[in-house]
Amino acid sequence: VLDVRTPEEFAAGHVPGAINIPHDEVASRLAELGAPGAGDVVVYCESGRRAGMAADSLQEAGFSVLHLDGDMSGWRSAARPVE
């Protein structure tokens, strides 16, 4: 699970187990995600715009990408756990 928000947003609360790579750094930090094809990368931000940009970069690099429905705002609204 990949959180593409800022480190400050991530520190304020994120999906349990998520890693943080800001959306504008995804293309330069792909190695942190392992090899493309090793599994789906679930990506999210606060409302969807940054996750969409990150998803484009990931797909261009060969990753299989899923976008978390509702992003972080939807996660919180559904009262799901936050770290």
Coordinates of all heavy atoms in Angstrom, one line a residue:
V1 N 0.9 -1.2 0.0 CA 0.0 0.0 0.0 C 0.9 1.2 0.0 O 1.8 1.3 0.8 CB -0.9 0.0 1.2 CG1 -1.8 1.3 1.2 CG2 -1.8 -1.2 1.2
L2 N 0.7 2.1 -0.9 CA 1.5 3.3 -1.1 C 0.7 4.6 -0.9 O -0.2 4.9 -1.6 CB 2.1 3.3 -2.6 CG 3.0 4.4 -3.0 CD1 4.2 4.6 -2.1 CD2 3.4 4.3 -4.4
D3 N 1.2 5.3 0.1 CA 0.6 6.6 0.4 C 1.4 7.7 -0.3 O 2.6 7.8 0.0 CB 0.6 6.8 1.9 CG 0.0 8.1 2.4 OD1 0.2 9.2 1.7 OD2 -0.7 8.1 3.4
V4 N 0.9 8.5 -1.2 CA 1.6 9.4 -2.0 C 1.4 10.9 -1.5 O 1.8 11.8 -2.2 CB 1.4 9.3 -3.5 CG1 1.8 7.9 -4.0 CG2 -0.1 9.6 -3.9
R5 N 1.0 11.0 -0.3 CA 0.8 12.3 0.3 C 2.2 12.8 0.8 O 3.2 12.1 0.8 CB -0.2 12.3 1.4 CG -1.6 11.9 0.9 CD -2.6 11.7 2.1 NE -2.1 10.8 3.1 CZ -2.5 10.8 4.3 NH1 -3.3 11.7 4.8 NH2 -2.0 9.8 5.2
T6 N 2.2 14.0 1.4 CA 3.4 14.6 2.0 C 3.8 13.8 3.2 O 2.9 13.2 3.9 CB 3.3 16.0 2.3 OG1 2.3 16.2 3.4 CG2 2.9 16.9 1.1
P7 N 5.1 13.8 3.6 CA 5.5 13.2 4.9 C 4.7 13.7 6.1 O 4.4 12.9 7.0 CB 7.0 13.5 5.0 CG 7.4 13.7 3.6 CD 6.2 14.3 2.9
E8 N 4.3 15.0 6.1 CA 3.6 15.5 7.2 C 2.1 15.0 7.2 O 1.6 14.6 8.3 CB 3.5 17.1 7.1 CG 4.8 17.8 7.2 CD 5.7 17.7 5.9 OE1 5.2 17.4 4.8 OE2 6.9 18.0 6.0
E9 N 1.5 14.8 6.1 CA 0.2 14.2 6.0 C 0.2 12.8 6.5 O -0.6 12.3 7.2 CB -0.4 14.3 4.6 CG -0.8 15.7 4.1 CD -1.2 15.7 2.7 OE1 -0.3 15.4 1.8 OE2 -2.3 16.0 2.4
F10 N 1.3 12.0 6.0 CA 1.5 10.6 6.4 C 1.6 10.5 7.9 O 1.0 9.6 8.5 CB 2.7 10.1 5.7 CG 3.0 8.6 5.9 CD1 2.2 7.7 5.2 CD2 3.9 8.2 6.8 CE1 2.5 6.3 5.4 CE2 4.2 6.9 7.0 CZ 3.5 5.9 6.3
A11 N 2.4 11.4 8.5 CA 2.7 11.3 9.9 C 1.4 11.6 10.7 O 1.2 11.1 11.9 CB 3.8 12.3 10.3
A12 N 0.5 12.4 10.2 CA -0.7 12.7 10.9 C -1.7 11.5 10.9 O -2.7 11.6 11.6 CB -1.4 13.9 10.3
G13 N -1.5 10.5 10.1 CA -2.4 9.3 10.0 C -2.4 8.7 8.7 O -2.5 9.5 7.7
H14 N -2.2 7.4 8.6 CA -2.2 6.7 7.3 C -2.8 5.3 7.5 O -3.0 4.8 8.6 CB -0.8 6.6 6.8 CG 0.2 6.0 7.7 ND1 0.9 6.8 8.7 CD2 0.6 4.7 7.9 CE1 1.6 6.0 9.4 NE2 1.5 4.7 8.9
V15 N -3.0 4.7 6.3 CA -3.5 3.3 6.3 C -2.5 2.4 7.0 O -1.3 2.5 6.6 CB -3.8 2.9 4.9 CG1 -4.1 1.4 4.8 CG2 -5.0 3.7 4.2
P16 N -2.9 1.5 7.9 CA -1.9 0.7 8.5 C -1.0 -0.1 7.5 O -1.6 -0.7 6.6 CB -2.7 -0.3 9.4 CG -4.0 0.5 9.7 CD -4.2 1.3 8.4
G17 N 0.3 -0.1 7.7 CA 1.2 -0.8 6.8 C 1.6 -0.1 5.6 O 2.4 -0.6 4.8
A18 N 1.0 1.1 5.3 CA 1.4 1.8 4.1 C 2.8 2.4 4.2 O 3.3 2.6 5.3 CB 0.4 3.0 3.9
I19 N 3.4 2.5 3.0 CA 4.7 3.2 3.0 C 4.4 4.6 2.3 O 3.4 4.8 1.6 CB 5.8 2.4 2.2 CG1 5.4 2.2 0.7 CG2 6.1 1.1 2.9 CD1 6.5 1.8 -0.1
N20 N 5.3 5.5 2.6 CA 5.1 6.9 2.1 C 6.2 7.3 1.1 O 7.4 7.3 1.4 CB 5.1 7.9 3.3 CG 4.9 9.3 2.9 OD1 5.7 10.2 3.3 ND2 3.9 9.6 2.1
I21 N 5.7 7.6 -0.1 CA 6.6 8.2 -1.1 C 5.7 9.3 -1.8 O 4.7 9.0 -2.4 CB 7.0 7.2 -2.2 CG1 7.8 6.0 -1.6 CG2 7.9 7.9 -3.3 CD1 8.2 4.9 -2.6
P22 N 6.1 10.6 -1.5 CA 5.3 11.6 -2.1 C 5.1 11.5 -3.6 O 6.0 11.0 -4.3 CB 6.1 12.9 -1.8 CG 6.8 12.5 -0.5 CD 7.2 11.0 -0.7
H23 N 4.0 11.9 -4.2 CA 3.7 11.6 -5.6 C 4.7 12.2 -6.5 O 5.0 11.5 -7.5 CB 2.3 12.2 -5.9 CG 2.3 13.7 -6.1 ND1 2.3 14.6 -5.1 CD2 2.3 14.4 -7.3 CE1 2.3 15.8 -5.6 NE2 2.3 15.8 -6.9
D24 N 5.4 13.3 -6.2 CA 6.4 13.8 -7.1 C 7.7 13.2 -7.0 O 8.7 13.6 -7.7 CB 6.5 15.4 -6.9 CG 6.8 15.8 -5.4 OD1 6.8 14.9 -4.5 OD2 7.0 17.0 -5.2
E25 N 7.8 12.1 -6.1 CA 9.1 11.4 -6.0 C 8.9 9.9 -6.5 O 9.9 9.2 -6.5 CB 9.5 11.4 -4.5 CG 9.9 12.8 -4.0 CD 10.3 12.8 -2.5 OE1 10.6 11.7 -2.0 OE2 10.3 13.8 -1.9
V26 N 7.7 9.5 -6.8 CA 7.5 8.1 -7.1 C 8.4 7.6 -8.3 O 9.0 6.6 -8.2 CB 6.0 7.9 -7.5 CG1 5.8 6.5 -8.1 CG2 5.1 8.0 -6.2
A27 N 8.5 8.4 -9.4 CA 9.3 8.0 -10.5 C 10.7 7.7 -10.2 O 11.4 6.8 -10.7 CB 9.1 9.0 -11.7
S28 N 11.3 8.5 -9.3 CA 12.7 8.4 -8.9 C 12.9 7.4 -7.8 O 14.1 7.1 -7.5 CB 13.3 9.7 -8.5 OG 12.7 10.2 -7.3
R29 N 11.9 6.8 -7.2 CA 12.0 5.9 -6.0 C 11.4 4.6 -6.3 O 11.0 3.8 -5.4 CB 11.5 6.6 -4.8 CG 12.3 7.8 -4.4 CD 11.7 8.5 -3.2 NE 11.6 7.7 -2.0 CZ 11.1 8.1 -0.9 NH1 10.6 9.4 -0.8 NH2 11.0 7.3 0.2
L30 N 11.2 4.2 -7.5 CA 10.5 2.9 -7.9 C 11.2 1.7 -7.3 O 10.5 0.7 -6.9 CB 10.5 2.8 -9.4 CG 9.6 3.8 -10.2 CD1 9.8 3.6 -11.7 CD2 8.1 3.6 -9.8
A31 N 12.5 1.7 -7.1 CA 13.2 0.6 -6.5 C 12.7 0.2 -5.1 O 12.8 -1.0 -4.7 CB 14.7 0.8 -6.5
E32 N 12.2 1.2 -4.4 CA 11.7 0.9 -3.1 C 10.4 0.1 -3.1 O 10.0 -0.5 -2.0 CB 11.4 2.2 -2.3 CG 12.6 3.1 -2.1 CD 12.3 4.4 -1.5 OE1 11.5 4.5 -0.5 OE2 12.9 5.4 -2.0
L33 N 9.8 -0.1 -4.2 CA 8.5 -0.8 -4.4 C 8.8 -2.3 -4.8 O 7.8 -3.0 -5.0 CB 7.6 -0.1 -5.3 CG 7.2 1.3 -4.9 CD1 6.4 2.0 -6.0 CD2 6.4 1.3 -3.6
G34 N 10.0 -2.7 -5.1 CA 10.3 -4.0 -5.6 C 10.1 -4.1 -7.1 O 10.0 -3.0 -7.7
A35 N 10.1 -5.3 -7.6 CA 10.1 -5.4 -9.0 C 8.6 -5.3 -9.6 O 7.7 -5.9 -8.9 CB 10.6 -6.8 -9.4
P36 N 8.5 -4.7 -10.7 CA 7.1 -4.7 -11.3 C 6.7 -6.1 -11.6 O 7.5 -7.0 -11.9 CB 7.4 -4.0 -12.7 CG 8.6 -3.2 -12.4 CD 9.4 -4.0 -11.5
G37 N 5.4 -6.4 -11.4 CA 4.9 -7.7 -11.6 C 4.9 -8.6 -10.4 O 4.4 -9.7 -10.4
A38 N 5.5 -8.1 -9.3 CA 5.5 -8.9 -8.0 C 4.2 -8.9 -7.3 O 4.0 -9.6 -6.3 CB 6.6 -8.4 -7.1
G39 N 3.3 -8.0 -7.7 CA 2.0 -7.9 -7.1 C 1.4 -6.5 -7.3 O 2.1 -5.6 -7.9
D40 N 0.2 -6.3 -6.9 CA -0.5 -5.0 -7.1 C 0.1 -4.0 -6.1 O 0.4 -4.3 -5.0 CB -2.0 -5.1 -6.9 CG -2.7 -6.0 -7.9 OD1 -2.2 -6.0 -9.1 OD2 -3.7 -6.7 -7.5
V41 N 0.1 -2.8 -6.6 CA 0.5 -1.6 -5.7 C -0.9 -0.9 -5.5 O -1.5 -0.4 -6.5 CB 1.5 -0.7 -6.3 CG1 1.7 0.5 -5.4 CG2 2.8 -1.4 -6.6
V42 N -1.3 -0.8 -4.3 CA -2.5 0.0 -4.0 C -2.0 1.4 -3.6 O -1.2 1.6 -2.7 CB -3.3 -0.6 -2.8 CG1 -4.5 0.2 -2.4 CG2 -3.7 -2.1 -3.1
V43 N -2.5 2.4 -4.3 CA -2.1 3.7 -4.2 C -3.2 4.6 -3.7 O -4.4 4.4 -4.1 CB -1.4 4.3 -5.5 CG1 -2.4 4.3 -6.6 CG2 -0.7 5.6 -5.3
Y44 N -2.9 5.6 -2.8 CA -3.9 6.6 -2.4 C -3.2 7.9 -2.0 O -2.0 8.0 -1.7 CB -4.7 6.0 -1.2 CG -4.0 5.9 0.1 CD1 -4.0 7.0 1.0 CD2 -3.3 4.8 0.4 CE1 -3.4 6.9 2.2 CE2 -2.6 4.7 1.6 CZ -2.7 5.8 2.5 OH -2.0 5.7 3.7
C45 N -4.0 9.0 -2.0 CA -3.6 10.2 -1.4 C -4.8 10.7 -0.6 O -5.5 9.9 0.0 CB -3.3 11.2 -2.5 SG -4.6 11.7 -3.7
E46 N -5.0 12.0 -0.5 CA -6.1 12.5 0.3 C -7.5 12.4 -0.4 O -8.5 11.9 0.1 CB -5.9 13.9 0.8 CG -6.9 14.5 1.7 CD -7.0 13.7 3.0 OE1 -6.0 13.2 3.5 OE2 -8.1 13.6 3.6
S47 N -7.5 12.8 -1.7 CA -8.7 12.9 -2.4 C -8.7 12.3 -3.8 O -9.7 12.1 -4.5 CB -9.2 14.3 -2.5 OG -8.3 15.1 -3.3
G48 N -7.5 11.9 -4.3 CA -7.4 11.2 -5.6 C -6.5 11.8 -6.7 O -6.0 11.1 -7.5
R49 N -6.3 13.1 -6.7 CA -5.6 13.7 -7.8 C -4.1 13.2 -7.8 O -3.6 12.8 -8.8 CB -5.6 15.2 -7.6 CG -5.0 16.0 -8.8 CD -5.0 17.5 -8.6 NE -4.2 17.9 -7.4 CZ -2.9 18.1 -7.4 NH1 -2.2 17.8 -8.5 NH2 -2.3 18.5 -6.3
R50 N -3.4 13.3 -6.6 CA -2.0 12.9 -6.6 C -1.8 11.4 -6.8 O -0.9 11.0 -7.5 CB -1.4 13.3 -5.3 CG -1.3 14.8 -5.1 CD -0.8 15.2 -3.7 NE -1.8 15.0 -2.7 CZ -1.7 15.3 -1.4 NH1 -0.6 15.7 -1.0 NH2 -2.7 15.1 -0.6
A51 N -2.8 10.6 -6.3 CA -2.7 9.2 -6.5 C -2.8 8.9 -8.0 O -2.2 7.9 -8.5 CB -3.8 8.5 -5.7
G52 N -3.7 9.6 -8.7 CA -3.8 9.4 -10.2 C -2.5 9.7 -10.9 O -2.1 8.9 -11.8
M53 N -1.8 10.7 -10.5 CA -0.5 11.0 -11.1 C 0.5 9.9 -10.8 O 1.3 9.5 -11.7 CB 0.0 12.4 -10.7 CG -0.9 13.5 -11.2 SD -0.2 15.2 -10.9 CE -0.5 15.3 -9.1
A54 N 0.5 9.5 -9.6 CA 1.5 8.5 -9.2 C 1.2 7.2 -9.9 O 2.1 6.4 -10.3 CB 1.4 8.3 -7.7
A55 N -0.1 6.8 -10.0 CA -0.5 5.6 -10.7 C 0.0 5.6 -12.1 O 0.4 4.6 -12.6 CB -2.1 5.5 -10.7
D56 N -0.1 6.8 -12.8 CA 0.4 6.8 -14.2 C 1.9 6.5 -14.3 O 2.3 5.7 -15.1 CB 0.2 8.2 -14.8 CG -1.3 8.6 -15.0 OD1 -2.1 7.6 -15.1 OD2 -1.6 9.8 -15.2
S57 N 2.7 7.0 -13.3 CA 4.1 6.8 -13.3 C 4.4 5.3 -13.0 O 5.2 4.7 -13.7 CB 4.8 7.6 -12.2 OG 4.7 8.9 -12.5
L58 N 3.6 4.7 -12.1 CA 3.8 3.3 -11.8 C 3.4 2.4 -12.9 O 4.1 1.4 -13.2 CB 2.9 3.0 -10.5 CG 3.4 3.6 -9.2 CD1 2.3 3.5 -8.2 CD2 4.7 3.0 -8.7
Q59 N 2.3 2.7 -13.6 CA 1.9 1.9 -14.7 C 2.9 2.0 -15.9 O 3.2 0.9 -16.5 CB 0.5 2.3 -15.2 CG -0.6 1.8 -14.2 CD -1.9 2.4 -14.5 OE1 -2.1 3.5 -15.1 NE2 -3.0 1.7 -14.0
E60 N 3.4 3.1 -16.1 CA 4.5 3.3 -17.1 C 5.7 2.5 -16.8 O 6.4 2.0 -17.8 CB 4.8 4.8 -17.3 CG 3.8 5.6 -18.0 CD 4.1 7.1 -18.0 OE1 5.3 7.5 -17.7 OE2 3.2 7.9 -18.3
A61 N 6.0 2.3 -15.6 CA 7.1 1.5 -15.1 C 6.8 0.0 -15.1 O 7.7 -0.8 -14.8 CB 7.6 1.9 -13.8
G62 N 5.6 -0.4 -15.4 CA 5.2 -1.8 -15.4 C 4.5 -2.4 -14.2 O 4.3 -3.6 -14.1
F63 N 4.2 -1.5 -13.3 CA 3.5 -2.0 -12.1 C 2.0 -2.2 -12.3 O 1.4 -1.4 -13.1 CB 3.7 -1.0 -10.9 CG 5.1 -1.0 -10.3 CD1 6.1 -0.2 -10.8 CD2 5.4 -1.9 -9.3 CE1 7.4 -0.2 -10.3 CE2 6.7 -1.9 -8.7 CZ 7.7 -1.1 -9.3
S64 N 1.4 -3.1 -11.6 CA 0.0 -3.3 -11.6 C -0.5 -2.4 -10.5 O -0.1 -2.6 -9.3 CB -0.4 -4.8 -11.4 OG -1.7 -4.9 -11.3
V65 N -1.4 -1.5 -10.8 CA -1.9 -0.5 -9.8 C -3.3 -0.6 -9.5 O -4.2 -0.7 -10.5 CB -1.5 0.9 -10.3 CG1 -1.9 2.0 -9.3 CG2 0.0 1.0 -10.6
L66 N -3.7 -0.5 -8.3 CA -5.1 -0.3 -7.8 C -5.2 1.0 -7.1 O -4.3 1.3 -6.3 CB -5.5 -1.5 -6.9 CG -5.4 -2.9 -7.5 CD1 -5.6 -3.9 -6.4 CD2 -6.4 -3.1 -8.6
H67 N -6.2 1.7 -7.3 CA -6.4 3.0 -6.6 C -7.4 2.8 -5.5 O -8.5 2.3 -5.7 CB -7.0 4.0 -7.6 CG -7.0 5.4 -7.1 ND1 -6.8 6.5 -7.9 CD2 -7.2 5.9 -5.8 CE1 -6.9 7.6 -7.1 NE2 -7.1 7.3 -5.9
L68 N -7.0 3.1 -4.2 CA -7.8 2.9 -3.1 C -9.1 3.7 -3.2 O -9.1 4.9 -3.3 CB -7.1 3.3 -1.8 CG -7.9 3.1 -0.5 CD1 -8.1 1.6 -0.2 CD2 -7.1 3.8 0.7
D69 N -10.3 3.0 -3.2 CA -11.6 3.7 -3.4 C -11.8 4.7 -2.2 O -11.7 4.3 -1.1 CB -12.7 2.6 -3.3 CG -14.0 3.2 -3.7 OD1 -14.1 4.1 -4.6 OD2 -15.0 2.7 -3.2
G70 N -12.0 5.9 -2.6 CA -12.3 7.0 -1.6 C -11.0 7.6 -1.1 O -11.1 8.6 -0.3
D71 N -9.9 7.1 -1.4 CA -8.6 7.6 -0.9 C -8.6 7.8 0.6 O -9.4 7.1 1.3 CB -8.2 8.9 -1.6 CG -7.9 8.7 -3.0 OD1 -6.7 8.2 -3.3 OD2 -8.7 8.9 -3.9
M72 N -7.8 8.6 1.2 CA -7.7 8.7 2.7 C -8.9 9.3 3.3 O -9.4 8.9 4.4 CB -6.4 9.5 3.1 CG -6.1 9.4 4.6 SD -5.7 7.7 5.0 CE -5.8 7.8 6.8
S73 N -9.5 10.3 2.6 CA -10.7 10.9 3.1 C -11.9 9.8 3.3 O -12.6 9.8 4.3 CB -11.2 12.1 2.3 OG -11.5 11.7 1.0
G74 N -12.0 9.0 2.3 CA -13.0 7.9 2.4 C -12.7 6.9 3.4 O -13.5 6.3 4.1
W75 N -11.4 6.6 3.6 CA -10.9 5.6 4.6 C -11.3 6.1 6.0 O -11.9 5.4 6.8 CB -9.4 5.5 4.5 CG -8.8 4.4 5.4 CD1 -8.3 4.6 6.6 CD2 -8.6 3.1 5.1 NE1 -7.8 3.4 7.1 CE2 -8.0 2.5 6.2 CE3 -8.9 2.3 4.0 CZ2 -7.6 1.1 6.2 CZ3 -8.5 0.9 4.0 CH2 -7.9 0.4 5.1
R76 N -11.0 7.4 6.3 CA -11.4 8.0 7.5 C -12.9 8.0 7.7 O -13.4 7.7 8.8 CB -10.9 9.4 7.7 CG -9.5 9.5 8.2 CD -9.2 11.0 8.6 NE -7.9 11.4 8.0 CZ -7.8 11.9 6.8 NH1 -8.8 12.2 6.1 NH2 -6.6 12.2 6.3
S77 N -13.7 8.4 6.7 CA -15.1 8.5 6.8 C -15.8 7.2 7.1 O -16.8 7.1 7.8 CB -15.7 9.0 5.5 OG -15.3 10.3 5.2
A78 N -15.1 6.1 6.7 CA -15.6 4.7 6.9 C -15.2 4.2 8.3 O -15.4 3.1 8.6 CB -15.2 3.8 5.8
A79 N -14.5 5.1 9.1 CA -14.0 4.7 10.4 C -13.1 3.5 10.4 O -13.1 2.7 11.3 CB -15.1 4.5 11.4
R80 N -12.2 3.4 9.3 CA -11.3 2.3 9.3 C -10.0 2.7 10.1 O -9.8 3.9 10.4 CB -10.9 2.1 7.8 CG -12.1 1.5 7.0 CD -11.6 1.0 5.7 NE -12.7 0.4 5.0 CZ -13.3 0.8 3.9 NH1 -12.8 1.8 3.2 NH2 -14.3 0.1 3.3
P81 N -9.2 1.7 10.5 CA -8.1 2.0 11.4 C -7.1 2.9 10.7 O -6.8 2.8 9.5 CB -7.5 0.6 11.7 CG -8.1 -0.3 10.6 CD -9.4 0.3 10.2
V82 N -6.4 3.7 11.5 CA -5.4 4.6 11.0 C -4.2 4.5 12.0 O -4.4 4.4 13.2 CB -5.9 6.1 11.1 CG1 -4.8 7.1 10.7 CG2 -7.1 6.2 10.1
E83 N -3.0 4.5 11.4 CA -1.8 4.5 12.2 C -1.3 5.9 12.3 O -1.4 6.7 11.4 CB -0.7 3.6 11.5 CG -0.9 2.1 11.7 CD 0.3 1.4 11.1 OE1 1.2 1.9 10.4 OE2 0.4 0.2 11.4

